[in-house]
Amino acid sequence: MHDAGPPNDDSWQVAGTTLASRFLLGTAGYPSPQVLGLAIEASGAQVVTVGLRRALAAGGDNGFVATVREAVQQQGARLLPNTAGCRTAREAVQLAQMARELYGTPWLKLEVVGDEHTLQPDPFELLQAAQQLVRDGFVVWPYCTDDLVLCRRLLDAGCPVLMPWGAPIGSGQGLLNPFALRTLRERLPDATLIVDAGIGAPSHAAQALELGFDAVLLNSAVAQARDPVRMAGAFRAAVQAGRAAWQAGVMARQDFAVPSTQVGGAPLLIGGMA
C-alpha cells in the first residue's frame, strides 16, 4: 500500500511513498521538546529522523519521544530511525531490528562510523550492514561518503536512497567537495541523492539543491540556532529556492567576462546629435 502524498508536480518517491518536501530534519539537541515540535512544523519536513539510543535511554526522556511522535503525526510525516553511534555492522543490524519493533517502520537511516575524529562512515562495515538489512526487509537510507564506487555498491545492495556527506557531522562547513557531489549526480542520474551532514546555513542547502540533489537532511544547523523555529523556516525557503533554480537551469560558470548586454558596430548615442 502506497502512502498518498500531497498533490505536487515536483514530488518524489522512496519505496513507493510519495513526498513533497525536500527538507528532512533531525531531532537531537533542541532546547526543549516544545521548540522541537514547532521547528518540525516550520520546516514542513515529511521525513524526521530520530535516534534509537536516545529513545531507549534509561530514565525519563523529558517528553522527547512523545513530542516527536505527535509532531510527526500532525505534519503527516514519516519517522526515519537512525543507528547513530554504531561502530560495526553487527551493532547496526541489531539496533535496526530494535528500531523496527519500537517505531513500527522498516525505514532506517543507516550510520556506521569508522573514525572518532571526523565521524566519517566506515565504508566496509556500512556496506556489510546495508546488504544484511536489505535482505531483512529494511528500506535502507545509508549515510555515506561521496565516494562514487561505494555509492554504486550501496545501490547494487538495494538501497533506494544514498546520503553522502557534505562535511563532517555537526561541523557546519557546508559542501566541502562540490566536485565529488557533482560527479555523483552526473554518474548516478537515476539515483535518489540526499546531502546529509555538514550543512550549516540555508545557502549550503540551496547549493545542494542547485547541484541537482533531491533533498537535504540536517539537524545541528536548526537545533543550535538562536531561534530554531525561524531557522527551520529559513531552510525550508532555501531548499525550495535551490530546487527551483535547478529546474530553471543555473547558468554555466565562465572564466572570463561576458557582457550581459551585447553591442556591436558603432556606439549608439542616446539623446545626442546625429
Side-chain angles (χ1 to χ4, degrees), residues 94-197:
Q94 291 176 341
L95 194 61
Q97 299 288 356
M98 298 173 67
R100 183 158 59 180
E101 290 296 322
L102 179 63
Y103 293 110
T105 176
W107 283 24
L108 181 81
K109 179 187 174 185
L110 178 60
E111 297 185 36
V112 186
V113 170
D115 181 76
E116 295 296 332
H117 179 67
T118 64
L119 299 181
Q120 177 174 323
D122 183 322
F124 307 102
E125 296 291 323
L126 178 69
L127 180 57
Q128 181 181 338
Q131 292 168 333
Q132 180 62 54
L133 290 168
V134 169
R135 288 194 294 267
D136 291 343
F138 285 86
V139 178
V140 180
W141 303 49
Y143 164 58
C144 56
T145 63
D146 51 23
D147 181 86
L148 176 60
V149 176
L150 172 61
C151 287
R152 281 176 167 163
R153 296 293 183 268
L154 290 167
L155 290 174
D156 291 342
C159 298
V161 171
L162 297 176
M163 305 180 74
W165 67 349
I169 293 174
S171 68
Q173 297 182 67
L175 310 187
L176 292 183
N177 194 344
F179 172 79
L181 295 175
R182 188 179 298 110
T183 299
L184 286 182
R185 181 71 287 170
E186 292 173 353
R187 300 300 299 275
L188 305 173
D190 298 323
T192 299
L193 302 178
I194 300 172
V195 172
D196 177 20

